[in-house]
Amino acid sequence: QKEVEQDPGPLSVPEGAIVSLNCTYSNSAFQYFMWYRQYSRKGPELLMYTYSSGNKEDGRFTAQVDKSSKYISLFIRDSQPSDSATYLCAMAKTGGFKTIFGAGTRLFVKA
Amino acid sequence: KAGVTQTPRYLIKTRGQQVTLSCSPISGHRSVSWYQQTPGQGLQFLFEYFSETQRNKGNFPGRFSGRQFSNSRSEMNVSTLELGDSALYLCASSEDGTPVNTQYFGPGTRLTVL
């Protein structure tokens, strides 16, 4: 079993839709939870970062962490065609130097 | 500041050969991590270096090795290439490699093994 599970999609939504992306994990030691966005032919870039449980909002993006269920989510409101990319969840432990990534979900937002 | 650079961007090799990939981190960053990205397995951690020392290693065979120089530049080597080594190899730099500090990724080196 992988430490981090993420549905690879693809996920196709119309412009303006609310997008929900999710990951589950098995290691309860993870304390840092991140979402990266990767456009075609580019490296991933950090989108959101959360420590421990709770919600974090940044513009149209909201990250949620539920440590009791070992489940994290990224919500995108009012999705735009420019949001079309692969979204990767990532996790790390306190004091660690290793980040574990999910497989990534391919998102298409249709105009 | 210039971003993370990786060379070469594309590489074609045949089975049995060896390959060396290079990564130049953002100026001031001392931690460099390497990842392998494939459609089936996603982004998998290879190893992380800080101040020329490997601090962490993923579950890859010994054919995969790396090193870091005193200027923080890093190289990754794969010996005796196999078809399954075809992938995008990404490096990422950060100030100290801890989760508190953001990792910045390079564009990757696309390796094709024939």
Side-chain angles (χ1 to χ4, degrees), chain A residues 32 38 43-44 93 96-97 99 101, chain B residues 37 43 55-56 99 103 105-106:
Chain A
Y32 294 87
Q38 185 176 21
K93 306 173 195 174
F97 307 113
T99 303
F101 283 80
Chain B
Q37 187 173 34
L43 207 63
R55 291 192 299 192
N56 218 326
Q103 282 190 95
F105 281 84

Side-chain angles (χ1 to χ4, degrees), chain B residues 17-19 36 45-47 49 54 57-67 75-82 85 89:
Chain B
Q17 287 187 308
Q18 75 161 16
V19 67
Q36 181 195 67
F45 175 80
L46 280 155
F47 26 66
Y49 286 88
Q54 186 184 91
K57 190 177 186 309
N59 297 325
F60 278 82
R63 300 185 296 107
F64 292 82
S65 63
R67 59 178 175 166
E75 285 182 349
M76 192 197 106
N77 185 75
V78 188
S79 62
T80 320
L81 284 166
E82 300 177 359
D85 296 334
Y89 290 89

Side-chain angles (χ1 to χ4, degrees), chain A residues 2-3 5 8 19 25-26 32 34 53 56 61 67 86 110:
Chain A
K2 289 186 177 180
E3 280 189 287
E5 298 280 359
V19 176
Y25 63 96
S26 56
Y32 294 87
M34 295 147 279
S53 281
K56 189 171 186 178
F61 299 88
K67 292 191 72 180
T86 297
K110 299 171 293 186

Side-chain angles (χ1 to χ4, degrees), chain A residues 30-111:
Chain A
F30 288 138
Q31 291 278 14
Y32 294 87
F33 303 92
M34 295 147 279
W35 286 95
Y36 284 78
R37 179 175 61 195
Q38 185 176 21
Y39 290 113
S40 184
R41 291 180 171 49
K42 296 279 179 78
E45 57 176 343
L46 183 66
L47 203 57
M48 300 280 288
Y49 155 79
T50 310
Y51 174 73
S52 194
S53 281
N55 294 359
K56 189 171 186 178
E57 192 172 318
D58 184 1
R60 297 184 295 112
F61 299 88
T62 299
Q64 285 185 354
V65 175
D66 181 348
K67 292 191 72 180
S68 62
S69 302
K70 296 191 178 70
Y71 188 87
I72 71 170
S73 301
L74 177 71
F75 297 96
I76 307 174
R77 290 184 298 282
D78 188 25
S79 56
Q80 303 296 309
S82 58
D83 294 327
S84 297
T86 297
Y87 290 80
L88 303 112
C89 62
M91 305 175 192
K93 306 173 195 174
T94 300
F97 307 113
K98 176 174 155 177
T99 303
I100 305 299
F101 283 80
T105 299
R106 194 99 187 268
L107 172 67
F108 295 96
V109 181
K110 299 171 293 186

